[in-house]
């Protein structure tokens, strides 16, 4: 270990970030022999309690390893002072501050040595494609370019999610198999877990009236909330991505225009899955309504970040109600 046990990992690329955390965990465990490990979220625990835990010496293990998520929410001066004071104490314990944002409070950032800080940027589009090709190649599989595009259109594009979803193919086919678009639709559709994309689809499902779409969306939301995808900030981010794509679809098809293949590919709307998704969505939400919904998503995200988990589920349900029933208009209660 270096002269302090504090680290700061920022940025949205969860896969590489988790690999880096695991590498540090393995190093600390090898050095200390035994390890007490904890993972907390800032909104769910007092920072003072985390620092007190770091300061205590365990009778049963030689080191403590804590990952503290949503570090961008640490803004209280006393909380920051306690962390910076502990960081300067040359403790043998480890605290890794994690955030999907790119920065934290300036004083908190300054408490972390530069060699203990790392930003995890989302991969560029061509890097994502190459990551998938390399994943299958490493496992003695092949994959067609169209199948790569289809995976990227169906799966959230951080490497942690991509690894999880691509691993499913390894159990379904023999080695040396070439994964096709048909395989992708078969495996990822039949085995998919609920996420922001399936929630979006339920809110604009053809042949359903608004009340039916709302009921289905709430059912999917409840499934998401009890799954590993339960982080509300990431869920809202996923929905915002869908509605930004819908905004692009509206622009590309304005006044009946037929977009070119190049335009669709540049906007990642070239797959049949995405074209069907946003064609259905455009029949429900106009360009103006789409803009209102994006504002609503931003306001909900800010309210949850500021107020924590106390009213989180209620805010999410009201958000869906506003999107499906009220066309993006904020409402304070059900009608």
């Amino acid at each position: 270990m270096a002269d302090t046990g504090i680290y700061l990992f920022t940025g949205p690329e969860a896969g590489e970030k988790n690999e880096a955390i695991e590498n540090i965990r393995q190093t600390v465990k090898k050095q200390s022999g035994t390890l007490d490990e904890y993972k907390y979220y800032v909104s769910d625990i007092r920072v003072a309690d985390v620092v007190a835990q770091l300061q205590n010496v365990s009778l049963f293990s030689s080191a403590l390893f804590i990952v503290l998520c949503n570090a961008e929410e640490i803004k209280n001066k006393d909380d920051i002072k306690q962390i910076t004071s502990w960081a300067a104490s040359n403790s043998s314990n480890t605290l890794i501050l994690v955030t999907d944002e790119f920065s934290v409070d300036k004083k908190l950032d300054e408490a972390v040595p530069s060699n203990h800080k790392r930003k995890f940027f989302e991969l560029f589009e061509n890097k994502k494609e190459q990551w998938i090709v390399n994943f299958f190649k490493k496992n003695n599989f092949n994959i067609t370019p169209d199948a790569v595009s289809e995976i990227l259109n169906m799966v959230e594009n951080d490497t942690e999610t991509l690894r999880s979803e691509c691993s499913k193919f390894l159990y379904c086919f023999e080695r040396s198999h070439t994964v096709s678009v048909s395989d992708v639709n078969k495996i990822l559709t039949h085995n998919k877990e609920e996420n922001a994309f399936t929630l979006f689809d339920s809110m604009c499902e053809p042949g359903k009236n608004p009340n039916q779409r709302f009921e289905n969306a709430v059912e999917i939301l409840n499934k998401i909330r009890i799954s590993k995808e339960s982080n509300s900030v990431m869920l809202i981010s996923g929905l915002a991505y869908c509605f930004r794509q819908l905004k692009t679809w509206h622009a590309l098809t304005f006044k009946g225009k037929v977009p070119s293949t190049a335009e669709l590919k540049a906007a990642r709307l070239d797959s049949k899955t995405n074209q069907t998704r946003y064609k259905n969505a455009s029949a429900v939400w106009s360009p103006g309504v789409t803009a209102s919904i994006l504002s609503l998503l931003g306001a909900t995200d800010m309210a949850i970040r500021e107020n924590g988990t106390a009213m989180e589920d209620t805010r999410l349900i009201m958000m869906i109600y506003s999107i499906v029933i009220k066309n993006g208009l904020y409402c304070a209660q059900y009608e």
Side-chain angles (χ1 to χ4, degrees), residues 101 232-233 235-241 243-244 289-307 315-316 319 322-323 328 330:
E101 306 296 328
S232 62
V233 173
L235 176 63
I236 294 172
S237 176
L239 287 176
Y241 171 82
F243 280 101
R244 286 195 296 271
V289 170
T290 301
S292 296
I293 291 173
L294 283 167
S295 296
L296 171 68
L297 291 168
T300 304
D301 176 71
M302 184 176 297
I304 290 175
R305 288 176 184 269
E306 290 180 350
N307 300 309
R315 291 185 190 280
L316 290 173
M319 176 188 76
S322 296
I323 292 172
Y330 174 79

PDB file of all heavy atoms in Angstrom, residues 101 232-233 235-241 243-244 289-307 315-316 319 322-323 328 330:
ATOM      1  N   GLU A 101     -20.233  10.085 -11.534  1.00  0.00           N
ATOM      2  CA  GLU A 101     -19.928  11.423 -12.029  1.00  0.00           C
ATOM      3  C   GLU A 101     -18.421  11.530 -12.266  1.00  0.00           C
ATOM      4  O   GLU A 101     -17.655  10.619 -11.948  1.00  0.00           O
ATOM      5  CB  GLU A 101     -20.386  12.476 -11.018  1.00  0.00           C
ATOM      6  CG  GLU A 101     -21.853  12.372 -10.615  1.00  0.00           C
ATOM      7  CD  GLU A 101     -22.794  12.611 -11.776  1.00  0.00           C
ATOM      8  OE1 GLU A 101     -22.433  13.400 -12.672  1.00  0.00           O
ATOM      9  OE2 GLU A 101     -23.891  12.026 -11.785  1.00  0.00           O
ATOM     10  N   SER A 232     -31.782   3.860  -8.864  1.00  0.00           N
ATOM     11  CA  SER A 232     -32.736   4.746  -9.535  1.00  0.00           C
ATOM     12  C   SER A 232     -32.061   5.749 -10.457  1.00  0.00           C
ATOM     13  O   SER A 232     -32.606   6.110 -11.504  1.00  0.00           O
ATOM     14  CB  SER A 232     -33.587   5.481  -8.494  1.00  0.00           C
ATOM     15  OG  SER A 232     -32.773   6.302  -7.672  1.00  0.00           O
ATOM     16  N   VAL A 233     -30.879   6.220 -10.071  1.00  0.00           N
ATOM     17  CA  VAL A 233     -30.166   7.193 -10.901  1.00  0.00           C
ATOM     18  C   VAL A 233     -29.800   6.572 -12.243  1.00  0.00           C
ATOM     19  O   VAL A 233     -29.963   7.189 -13.303  1.00  0.00           O
ATOM     20  CB  VAL A 233     -28.910   7.713 -10.170  1.00  0.00           C
ATOM     21  CG1 VAL A 233     -28.076   8.599 -11.097  1.00  0.00           C
ATOM     22  CG2 VAL A 233     -29.314   8.501  -8.922  1.00  0.00           C
ATOM     23  N   LEU A 235     -31.329   4.016 -13.610  1.00  0.00           N
ATOM     24  CA  LEU A 235     -32.589   3.751 -14.315  1.00  0.00           C
ATOM     25  C   LEU A 235     -33.063   4.996 -15.052  1.00  0.00           C
ATOM     26  O   LEU A 235     -33.430   4.939 -16.230  1.00  0.00           O
ATOM     27  CB  LEU A 235     -33.655   3.290 -13.312  1.00  0.00           C
ATOM     28  CG  LEU A 235     -35.060   3.073 -13.881  1.00  0.00           C
ATOM     29  CD1 LEU A 235     -35.064   1.958 -14.917  1.00  0.00           C
ATOM     30  CD2 LEU A 235     -36.040   2.759 -12.756  1.00  0.00           C
ATOM     31  N   ILE A 236     -33.048   6.131 -14.358  1.00  0.00           N
ATOM     32  CA  ILE A 236     -33.473   7.386 -14.987  1.00  0.00           C
ATOM     33  C   ILE A 236     -32.524   7.749 -16.131  1.00  0.00           C
ATOM     34  O   ILE A 236     -32.953   8.228 -17.183  1.00  0.00           O
ATOM     35  CB  ILE A 236     -33.539   8.515 -13.949  1.00  0.00           C
ATOM     36  CG1 ILE A 236     -34.658   8.223 -12.932  1.00  0.00           C
ATOM     37  CG2 ILE A 236     -33.774   9.863 -14.617  1.00  0.00           C
ATOM     38  CD1 ILE A 236     -34.688   9.175 -11.759  1.00  0.00           C
ATOM     39  N   SER A 237     -31.236   7.494 -15.933  1.00  0.00           N
ATOM     40  CA  SER A 237     -30.259   7.757 -16.995  1.00  0.00           C
ATOM     41  C   SER A 237     -30.573   6.922 -18.239  1.00  0.00           C
ATOM     42  O   SER A 237     -30.485   7.415 -19.371  1.00  0.00           O
ATOM     43  CB  SER A 237     -28.848   7.443 -16.479  1.00  0.00           C
ATOM     44  OG  SER A 237     -27.901   7.590 -17.512  1.00  0.00           O
ATOM     45  N   GLY A 238     -30.947   5.650 -18.020  1.00  0.00           N
ATOM     46  CA  GLY A 238     -31.306   4.785 -19.143  1.00  0.00           C
ATOM     47  C   GLY A 238     -32.542   5.278 -19.866  1.00  0.00           C
ATOM     48  O   GLY A 238     -32.602   5.276 -21.106  1.00  0.00           O
ATOM     49  N   LEU A 239     -33.551   5.712 -19.111  1.00  0.00           N
ATOM     50  CA  LEU A 239     -34.764   6.262 -19.727  1.00  0.00           C
ATOM     51  C   LEU A 239     -34.448   7.544 -20.490  1.00  0.00           C
ATOM     52  O   LEU A 239     -34.976   7.768 -21.590  1.00  0.00           O
ATOM     53  CB  LEU A 239     -35.823   6.530 -18.660  1.00  0.00           C
ATOM     54  CG  LEU A 239     -36.530   5.314 -18.061  1.00  0.00           C
ATOM     55  CD1 LEU A 239     -37.479   5.750 -16.949  1.00  0.00           C
ATOM     56  CD2 LEU A 239     -37.293   4.539 -19.134  1.00  0.00           C
ATOM     57  N   ALA A 240     -33.598   8.384 -19.910  1.00  0.00           N
ATOM     58  CA  ALA A 240     -33.228   9.634 -20.586  1.00  0.00           C
ATOM     59  C   ALA A 240     -32.534   9.335 -21.915  1.00  0.00           C
ATOM     60  O   ALA A 240     -32.764  10.028 -22.913  1.00  0.00           O
ATOM     61  CB  ALA A 240     -32.323  10.466 -19.682  1.00  0.00           C
ATOM     62  N   TYR A 241     -31.700   8.286 -21.928  1.00  0.00           N
ATOM     63  CA  TYR A 241     -31.050   7.889 -23.183  1.00  0.00           C
ATOM     64  C   TYR A 241     -32.103   7.511 -24.220  1.00  0.00           C
ATOM     65  O   TYR A 241     -32.027   7.914 -25.385  1.00  0.00           O
ATOM     66  CB  TYR A 241     -30.108   6.703 -22.925  1.00  0.00           C
ATOM     67  CG  TYR A 241     -29.564   6.093 -24.197  1.00  0.00           C
ATOM     68  CD1 TYR A 241     -28.471   6.657 -24.852  1.00  0.00           C
ATOM     69  CD2 TYR A 241     -30.151   4.955 -24.762  1.00  0.00           C
ATOM     70  CE1 TYR A 241     -27.969   6.111 -26.031  1.00  0.00           C
ATOM     71  CE2 TYR A 241     -29.659   4.401 -25.935  1.00  0.00           C
ATOM     72  CZ  TYR A 241     -28.576   4.982 -26.568  1.00  0.00           C
ATOM     73  OH  TYR A 241     -28.103   4.446 -27.737  1.00  0.00           O
ATOM     74  N   PHE A 243     -35.238   8.464 -24.435  1.00  0.00           N
ATOM     75  CA  PHE A 243     -35.994   9.631 -24.907  1.00  0.00           C
ATOM     76  C   PHE A 243     -35.122  10.568 -25.747  1.00  0.00           C
ATOM     77  O   PHE A 243     -35.635  11.248 -26.645  1.00  0.00           O
ATOM     78  CB  PHE A 243     -36.635  10.360 -23.724  1.00  0.00           C
ATOM     79  CG  PHE A 243     -37.912   9.702 -23.256  1.00  0.00           C
ATOM     80  CD1 PHE A 243     -37.915   8.886 -22.142  1.00  0.00           C
ATOM     81  CD2 PHE A 243     -39.088   9.877 -23.958  1.00  0.00           C
ATOM     82  CE1 PHE A 243     -39.082   8.253 -21.722  1.00  0.00           C
ATOM     83  CE2 PHE A 243     -40.266   9.256 -23.558  1.00  0.00           C
ATOM     84  CZ  PHE A 243     -40.263   8.440 -22.438  1.00  0.00           C
ATOM     85  N   ARG A 244     -33.820  10.612 -25.487  1.00  0.00           N
ATOM     86  CA  ARG A 244     -32.938  11.378 -26.374  1.00  0.00           C
ATOM     87  C   ARG A 244     -32.875  10.712 -27.750  1.00  0.00           C
ATOM     88  O   ARG A 244     -32.841  11.396 -28.785  1.00  0.00           O
ATOM     89  CB  ARG A 244     -31.536  11.498 -25.764  1.00  0.00           C
ATOM     90  CG  ARG A 244     -31.454  12.471 -24.594  1.00  0.00           C
ATOM     91  CD  ARG A 244     -30.013  12.818 -24.268  1.00  0.00           C
ATOM     92  NE  ARG A 244     -29.259  11.656 -23.811  1.00  0.00           N
ATOM     93  CZ  ARG A 244     -29.161  11.261 -22.551  1.00  0.00           C
ATOM     94  NH1 ARG A 244     -29.791  11.950 -21.603  1.00  0.00           N
ATOM     95  NH2 ARG A 244     -28.438  10.211 -22.224  1.00  0.00           N
ATOM     96  N   VAL A 289     -43.760  16.757 -26.535  1.00  0.00           N
ATOM     97  CA  VAL A 289     -43.950  15.927 -25.344  1.00  0.00           C
ATOM     98  C   VAL A 289     -42.627  15.271 -24.939  1.00  0.00           C
ATOM     99  O   VAL A 289     -42.304  15.181 -23.745  1.00  0.00           O
ATOM    100  CB  VAL A 289     -45.035  14.857 -25.593  1.00  0.00           C
ATOM    101  CG1 VAL A 289     -45.064  13.838 -24.458  1.00  0.00           C
ATOM    102  CG2 VAL A 289     -46.402  15.514 -25.747  1.00  0.00           C
ATOM    103  N   THR A 290     -41.855  14.838 -25.916  1.00  0.00           N
ATOM    104  CA  THR A 290     -40.554  14.231 -25.634  1.00  0.00           C
ATOM    105  C   THR A 290     -39.648  15.202 -24.881  1.00  0.00           C
ATOM    106  O   THR A 290     -38.967  14.818 -23.921  1.00  0.00           O
ATOM    107  CB  THR A 290     -39.865  13.782 -26.941  1.00  0.00           C
ATOM    108  OG1 THR A 290     -40.710  12.839 -27.618  1.00  0.00           O
ATOM    109  CG2 THR A 290     -38.512  13.152 -26.666  1.00  0.00           C
ATOM    110  N   ALA A 291     -39.652  16.454 -25.304  1.00  0.00           N
ATOM    111  CA  ALA A 291     -38.851  17.474 -24.615  1.00  0.00           C
ATOM    112  C   ALA A 291     -39.324  17.657 -23.177  1.00  0.00           C
ATOM    113  O   ALA A 291     -38.511  17.789 -22.249  1.00  0.00           O
ATOM    114  CB  ALA A 291     -38.927  18.796 -25.373  1.00  0.00           C
ATOM    115  N   SER A 292     -40.647  17.647 -22.973  1.00  0.00           N
ATOM    116  CA  SER A 292     -41.196  17.780 -21.617  1.00  0.00           C
ATOM    117  C   SER A 292     -40.794  16.606 -20.739  1.00  0.00           C
ATOM    118  O   SER A 292     -40.470  16.768 -19.561  1.00  0.00           O
ATOM    119  CB  SER A 292     -42.728  17.885 -21.676  1.00  0.00           C
ATOM    120  OG  SER A 292     -43.142  19.052 -22.357  1.00  0.00           O
ATOM    121  N   ILE A 293     -40.811  15.407 -21.314  1.00  0.00           N
ATOM    122  CA  ILE A 293     -40.448  14.208 -20.547  1.00  0.00           C
ATOM    123  C   ILE A 293     -38.980  14.251 -20.152  1.00  0.00           C
ATOM    124  O   ILE A 293     -38.622  13.876 -19.027  1.00  0.00           O
ATOM    125  CB  ILE A 293     -40.763  12.943 -21.369  1.00  0.00           C
ATOM    126  CG1 ILE A 293     -42.283  12.773 -21.509  1.00  0.00           C
ATOM    127  CG2 ILE A 293     -40.164  11.703 -20.707  1.00  0.00           C
ATOM    128  CD1 ILE A 293     -42.698  11.662 -22.447  1.00  0.00           C
ATOM    129  N   LEU A 294     -38.112  14.710 -21.047  1.00  0.00           N
ATOM    130  CA  LEU A 294     -36.692  14.823 -20.706  1.00  0.00           C
ATOM    131  C   LEU A 294     -36.485  15.790 -19.545  1.00  0.00           C
ATOM    132  O   LEU A 294     -35.660  15.542 -18.651  1.00  0.00           O
ATOM    133  CB  LEU A 294     -35.895  15.275 -21.933  1.00  0.00           C
ATOM    134  CG  LEU A 294     -35.627  14.178 -22.971  1.00  0.00           C
ATOM    135  CD1 LEU A 294     -35.116  14.775 -24.277  1.00  0.00           C
ATOM    136  CD2 LEU A 294     -34.627  13.156 -22.434  1.00  0.00           C
ATOM    137  N   SER A 295     -37.255  16.871 -19.516  1.00  0.00           N
ATOM    138  CA  SER A 295     -37.181  17.811 -18.397  1.00  0.00           C
ATOM    139  C   SER A 295     -37.668  17.157 -17.113  1.00  0.00           C
ATOM    140  O   SER A 295     -37.084  17.345 -16.035  1.00  0.00           O
ATOM    141  CB  SER A 295     -38.016  19.062 -18.694  1.00  0.00           C
ATOM    142  OG  SER A 295     -37.510  19.769 -19.800  1.00  0.00           O
ATOM    143  N   LEU A 296     -38.750  16.393 -17.219  1.00  0.00           N
ATOM    144  CA  LEU A 296     -39.296  15.682 -16.063  1.00  0.00           C
ATOM    145  C   LEU A 296     -38.280  14.690 -15.502  1.00  0.00           C
ATOM    146  O   LEU A 296     -38.090  14.586 -14.281  1.00  0.00           O
ATOM    147  CB  LEU A 296     -40.574  14.954 -16.461  1.00  0.00           C
ATOM    148  CG  LEU A 296     -41.168  13.978 -15.443  1.00  0.00           C
ATOM    149  CD1 LEU A 296     -41.697  14.718 -14.232  1.00  0.00           C
ATOM    150  CD2 LEU A 296     -42.274  13.135 -16.079  1.00  0.00           C
ATOM    151  N   LEU A 297     -37.607  13.937 -16.379  1.00  0.00           N
ATOM    152  CA  LEU A 297     -36.600  12.970 -15.940  1.00  0.00           C
ATOM    153  C   LEU A 297     -35.464  13.674 -15.209  1.00  0.00           C
ATOM    154  O   LEU A 297     -34.984  13.195 -14.174  1.00  0.00           O
ATOM    155  CB  LEU A 297     -36.060  12.194 -17.141  1.00  0.00           C
ATOM    156  CG  LEU A 297     -37.029  11.214 -17.807  1.00  0.00           C
ATOM    157  CD1 LEU A 297     -36.462  10.735 -19.138  1.00  0.00           C
ATOM    158  CD2 LEU A 297     -37.311  10.031 -16.904  1.00  0.00           C
ATOM    159  N   GLY A 298     -35.034  14.816 -15.736  1.00  0.00           N
ATOM    160  CA  GLY A 298     -33.972  15.582 -15.096  1.00  0.00           C
ATOM    161  C   GLY A 298     -34.380  16.077 -13.715  1.00  0.00           C
ATOM    162  O   GLY A 298     -33.601  16.016 -12.754  1.00  0.00           O
ATOM    163  N   ALA A 299     -35.625  16.548 -13.605  1.00  0.00           N
ATOM    164  CA  ALA A 299     -36.118  17.048 -12.315  1.00  0.00           C
ATOM    165  C   ALA A 299     -36.238  15.915 -11.298  1.00  0.00           C
ATOM    166  O   ALA A 299     -35.914  16.089 -10.119  1.00  0.00           O
ATOM    167  CB  ALA A 299     -37.468  17.731 -12.513  1.00  0.00           C
ATOM    168  N   THR A 300     -36.700  14.753 -11.747  1.00  0.00           N
ATOM    169  CA  THR A 300     -36.827  13.600 -10.845  1.00  0.00           C
ATOM    170  C   THR A 300     -35.460  13.137 -10.372  1.00  0.00           C
ATOM    171  O   THR A 300     -35.265  12.835  -9.187  1.00  0.00           O
ATOM    172  CB  THR A 300     -37.554  12.440 -11.549  1.00  0.00           C
ATOM    173  OG1 THR A 300     -38.822  12.894 -12.033  1.00  0.00           O
ATOM    174  CG2 THR A 300     -37.782  11.283 -10.590  1.00  0.00           C
ATOM    175  N   ASP A 301     -34.510  13.086 -11.281  1.00  0.00           N
ATOM    176  CA  ASP A 301     -33.140  12.691 -10.933  1.00  0.00           C
ATOM    177  C   ASP A 301     -32.570  13.635  -9.877  1.00  0.00           C
ATOM    178  O   ASP A 301     -31.985  13.190  -8.879  1.00  0.00           O
ATOM    179  CB  ASP A 301     -32.275  12.704 -12.188  1.00  0.00           C
ATOM    180  CG  ASP A 301     -30.817  12.394 -11.895  1.00  0.00           C
ATOM    181  OD1 ASP A 301     -30.523  11.233 -11.579  1.00  0.00           O
ATOM    182  OD2 ASP A 301     -29.981  13.314 -11.965  1.00  0.00           O
ATOM    183  N   MET A 302     -32.769  14.938 -10.069  1.00  0.00           N
ATOM    184  CA  MET A 302     -32.239  15.919  -9.126  1.00  0.00           C
ATOM    185  C   MET A 302     -32.905  15.780  -7.758  1.00  0.00           C
ATOM    186  O   MET A 302     -32.239  15.837  -6.714  1.00  0.00           O
ATOM    187  CB  MET A 302     -32.464  17.340  -9.671  1.00  0.00           C
ATOM    188  CG  MET A 302     -31.856  18.440  -8.798  1.00  0.00           C
ATOM    189  SD  MET A 302     -32.059  20.082  -9.546  1.00  0.00           S
ATOM    190  CE  MET A 302     -31.082  19.871 -11.046  1.00  0.00           C
ATOM    191  N   ALA A 303     -34.230  15.560  -7.755  1.00  0.00           N
ATOM    192  CA  ALA A 303     -34.957  15.427  -6.489  1.00  0.00           C
ATOM    193  C   ALA A 303     -34.483  14.211  -5.698  1.00  0.00           C
ATOM    194  O   ALA A 303     -34.315  14.270  -4.476  1.00  0.00           O
ATOM    195  CB  ALA A 303     -36.456  15.323  -6.768  1.00  0.00           C
ATOM    196  N   ILE A 304     -34.240  13.095  -6.394  1.00  0.00           N
ATOM    197  CA  ILE A 304     -33.776  11.877  -5.714  1.00  0.00           C
ATOM    198  C   ILE A 304     -32.361  12.055  -5.192  1.00  0.00           C
ATOM    199  O   ILE A 304     -32.043  11.644  -4.067  1.00  0.00           O
ATOM    200  CB  ILE A 304     -33.864  10.666  -6.668  1.00  0.00           C
ATOM    201  CG1 ILE A 304     -35.337  10.308  -6.914  1.00  0.00           C
ATOM    202  CG2 ILE A 304     -33.114   9.460  -6.090  1.00  0.00           C
ATOM    203  CD1 ILE A 304     -35.536   9.200  -7.929  1.00  0.00           C
ATOM    204  N   ARG A 305     -31.502  12.699  -5.975  1.00  0.00           N
ATOM    205  CA  ARG A 305     -30.131  12.931  -5.524  1.00  0.00           C
ATOM    206  C   ARG A 305     -30.102  13.836  -4.296  1.00  0.00           C
ATOM    207  O   ARG A 305     -29.295  13.645  -3.382  1.00  0.00           O
ATOM    208  CB  ARG A 305     -29.294  13.548  -6.643  1.00  0.00           C
ATOM    209  CG  ARG A 305     -28.950  12.607  -7.787  1.00  0.00           C
ATOM    210  CD  ARG A 305     -28.208  13.348  -8.885  1.00  0.00           C
ATOM    211  NE  ARG A 305     -27.944  12.526 -10.043  1.00  0.00           N
ATOM    212  CZ  ARG A 305     -26.842  11.803 -10.218  1.00  0.00           C
ATOM    213  NH1 ARG A 305     -25.914  11.795  -9.271  1.00  0.00           N
ATOM    214  NH2 ARG A 305     -26.663  11.091 -11.310  1.00  0.00           N
ATOM    215  N   GLU A 306     -30.982  14.851  -4.274  1.00  0.00           N
ATOM    216  CA  GLU A 306     -30.982  15.817  -3.173  1.00  0.00           C
ATOM    217  C   GLU A 306     -31.639  15.276  -1.912  1.00  0.00           C
ATOM    218  O   GLU A 306     -31.217  15.581  -0.801  1.00  0.00           O
ATOM    219  CB  GLU A 306     -31.696  17.099  -3.619  1.00  0.00           C
ATOM    220  CG  GLU A 306     -30.919  17.912  -4.653  1.00  0.00           C
ATOM    221  CD  GLU A 306     -31.662  19.161  -5.073  1.00  0.00           C
ATOM    222  OE1 GLU A 306     -32.862  19.295  -4.711  1.00  0.00           O
ATOM    223  OE2 GLU A 306     -31.045  20.012  -5.757  1.00  0.00           O
ATOM    224  N   ASN A 307     -32.679  14.452  -2.076  1.00  0.00           N
ATOM    225  CA  ASN A 307     -33.477  14.033  -0.925  1.00  0.00           C
ATOM    226  C   ASN A 307     -33.261  12.584  -0.504  1.00  0.00           C
ATOM    227  O   ASN A 307     -33.846  12.130   0.475  1.00  0.00           O
ATOM    228  CB  ASN A 307     -34.966  14.257  -1.232  1.00  0.00           C
ATOM    229  CG  ASN A 307     -35.276  15.712  -1.516  1.00  0.00           C
ATOM    230  OD1 ASN A 307     -34.911  16.586  -0.751  1.00  0.00           O
ATOM    231  ND2 ASN A 307     -35.933  15.977  -2.644  1.00  0.00           N
ATOM    232  N   ARG A 315     -41.472   8.723  -5.997  1.00  0.00           N
ATOM    233  CA  ARG A 315     -41.075   9.645  -7.074  1.00  0.00           C
ATOM    234  C   ARG A 315     -40.988   8.915  -8.419  1.00  0.00           C
ATOM    235  O   ARG A 315     -41.389   9.459  -9.450  1.00  0.00           O
ATOM    236  CB  ARG A 315     -39.728  10.292  -6.751  1.00  0.00           C
ATOM    237  CG  ARG A 315     -39.772  11.273  -5.600  1.00  0.00           C
ATOM    238  CD  ARG A 315     -38.422  11.966  -5.407  1.00  0.00           C
ATOM    239  NE  ARG A 315     -38.376  12.728  -4.184  1.00  0.00           N
ATOM    240  CZ  ARG A 315     -38.889  13.939  -4.033  1.00  0.00           C
ATOM    241  NH1 ARG A 315     -39.476  14.524  -5.070  1.00  0.00           N
ATOM    242  NH2 ARG A 315     -38.811  14.561  -2.882  1.00  0.00           N
ATOM    243  N   LEU A 316     -40.485   7.691  -8.407  1.00  0.00           N
ATOM    244  CA  LEU A 316     -40.356   6.936  -9.657  1.00  0.00           C
ATOM    245  C   LEU A 316     -41.730   6.586 -10.232  1.00  0.00           C
ATOM    246  O   LEU A 316     -41.956   6.685 -11.439  1.00  0.00           O
ATOM    247  CB  LEU A 316     -39.540   5.663  -9.420  1.00  0.00           C
ATOM    248  CG  LEU A 316     -38.042   5.860  -9.147  1.00  0.00           C
ATOM    249  CD1 LEU A 316     -37.391   4.547  -8.752  1.00  0.00           C
ATOM    250  CD2 LEU A 316     -37.331   6.460 -10.357  1.00  0.00           C
ATOM    251  N   MET A 319     -43.258   9.665 -11.591  1.00  0.00           N
ATOM    252  CA  MET A 319     -42.584   9.994 -12.851  1.00  0.00           C
ATOM    253  C   MET A 319     -43.199   9.202 -14.002  1.00  0.00           C
ATOM    254  O   MET A 319     -43.511   9.764 -15.072  1.00  0.00           O
ATOM    255  CB  MET A 319     -41.096   9.685 -12.719  1.00  0.00           C
ATOM    256  CG  MET A 319     -40.270   9.886 -13.987  1.00  0.00           C
ATOM    257  SD  MET A 319     -38.574   9.273 -13.785  1.00  0.00           S
ATOM    258  CE  MET A 319     -38.864   7.486 -13.902  1.00  0.00           C
ATOM    259  N   SER A 322     -46.648  10.441 -14.790  1.00  0.00           N
ATOM    260  CA  SER A 322     -46.602  11.690 -15.554  1.00  0.00           C
ATOM    261  C   SER A 322     -46.251  11.431 -17.019  1.00  0.00           C
ATOM    262  O   SER A 322     -46.790  12.080 -17.919  1.00  0.00           O
ATOM    263  CB  SER A 322     -45.564  12.639 -14.935  1.00  0.00           C
ATOM    264  OG  SER A 322     -45.934  13.010 -13.624  1.00  0.00           O
ATOM    265  N   ILE A 323     -45.358  10.480 -17.275  1.00  0.00           N
ATOM    266  CA  ILE A 323     -44.945  10.182 -18.647  1.00  0.00           C
ATOM    267  C   ILE A 323     -46.066   9.512 -19.432  1.00  0.00           C
ATOM    268  O   ILE A 323     -46.370   9.896 -20.563  1.00  0.00           O
ATOM    269  CB  ILE A 323     -43.695   9.273 -18.651  1.00  0.00           C
ATOM    270  CG1 ILE A 323     -42.481  10.038 -18.118  1.00  0.00           C
ATOM    271  CG2 ILE A 323     -43.412   8.745 -20.066  1.00  0.00           C
ATOM    272  CD1 ILE A 323     -41.259   9.170 -17.908  1.00  0.00           C
ATOM    273  N   GLY A 328     -45.877  13.756 -19.890  1.00  0.00           N
ATOM    274  CA  GLY A 328     -44.709  14.491 -19.465  1.00  0.00           C
ATOM    275  C   GLY A 328     -44.961  15.674 -18.562  1.00  0.00           C
ATOM    276  O   GLY A 328     -44.027  16.322 -18.094  1.00  0.00           O
ATOM    277  N   TYR A 330     -45.687  17.404 -15.150  1.00  0.00           N
ATOM    278  CA  TYR A 330     -45.478  17.032 -13.745  1.00  0.00           C
ATOM    279  C   TYR A 330     -46.805  17.084 -13.001  1.00  0.00           C
ATOM    280  O   TYR A 330     -47.617  17.998 -13.185  1.00  0.00           O
ATOM    281  CB  TYR A 330     -44.482  17.978 -13.081  1.00  0.00           C
ATOM    282  CG  TYR A 330     -44.335  17.733 -11.604  1.00  0.00           C
ATOM    283  CD1 TYR A 330     -43.542  16.687 -11.142  1.00  0.00           C
ATOM    284  CD2 TYR A 330     -45.013  18.509 -10.671  1.00  0.00           C
ATOM    285  CE1 TYR A 330     -43.403  16.435  -9.795  1.00  0.00           C
ATOM    286  CE2 TYR A 330     -44.887  18.254  -9.313  1.00  0.00           C
ATOM    287  CZ  TYR A 330     -44.091  17.212  -8.887  1.00  0.00           C
ATOM    288  OH  TYR A 330     -43.972  16.958  -7.540  1.00  0.00           O
TER     289      TYR A 330
END
